[in-house]
């Protein structure tokens, strides 16, 4: 069984920064992507950023230039540095791991609220 534990959410003012962390543990075969999705109130879950096992990142257009994703393969960890946060970034952020065998895992989510 694979567990994803997220941390780092909270309340921040517009223009502020937060760093999300996620550590995966358990029986992981081989990771294809690690990433972050987000779901704002009343909206569908969407990709924020992901990192392929090749080391190539992929960002949603709405976060490009403000968010930076990074991974620590030795720790099976993924991080999301979020700068210049905007009220529209308010959402529950979910850690995601997609394995090469087709298995997909989700964290429970961490709430990010951007408000003055």
């Amino acid at each position: 069984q694979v567990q994803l534990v997220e941390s780092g959410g909270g309340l921040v003012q517009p223009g502020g920064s937060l760093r999300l962390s996620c550590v995966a543990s358990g029986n992981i075969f081989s990771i294809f992507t690690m990433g972050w999705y987000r779901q704002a109130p009343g909206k569908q879950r969407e990709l924020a950023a992901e990192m392929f096992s090749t080391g190539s990142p992929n960002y949603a257009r709405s976060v490009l230039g403000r968010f930076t994703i990074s991974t620590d393969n030795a720790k099976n960890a993924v991080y999301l540095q979020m700068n210049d946060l905007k009220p529209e970034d308010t959402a529950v952020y979910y850690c995601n791991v997609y394995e090469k065998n087709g298995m997909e895992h989700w964290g429970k989510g961490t709430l990010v609220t951007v408000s003055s």
Side-chain angles (χ1 to χ4, degrees):
Q1 189 174 359
V2 175
Q3 286 188 326
L4 305 184
V5 178
E6 301 130 327
S7 60
L11 173 64
V12 63
Q13 292 186 340
S17 299
L18 281 176
R19 186 174 187 252
L20 305 182
S21 300
C22 172
V23 178
S25 61
N27 189 19
I28 299 173
F29 170 63
S30 182
I31 294 174
F32 181 57
T33 61
M34 297 188 78
W36 293 92
Y37 287 69
R38 64 185 185 180
Q39 187 167 17
K43 294 188 177 181
Q44 289 188 329
R45 191 175 298 188
E46 63 176 10
L47 174 71
E50 64 185 343
M51 180 75 84
F52 290 87
S53 57
T54 58
S56 297
N58 179 40
Y59 296 97
R61 182 172 295 185
S62 58
V63 309
L64 196 61
R66 300 187 298 120
F67 291 10
T68 302
I69 190 169
S70 60
T71 56
D72 184 334
N73 294 332
K75 297 180 180 179
N76 282 337
V78 60
Y79 309 98
L80 188 66
Q81 177 66 43
M82 305 184 293
N83 298 329
D84 189 23
L85 282 160
K86 306 176 185 298
E88 51 265 40
D89 294 317
T90 295
V92 178
Y93 284 71
Y94 296 91
C95 179
N96 175 273
V97 170
Y98 189 74
E99 297 188 64
K100 294 180 180 178
N101 62 4
M103 296 294 291
E104 188 170 29
H105 311 285
W106 293 93
K108 294 182 179 180
T110 184
L111 178 62
V112 172
T113 303
V114 184
S115 175
S116 55

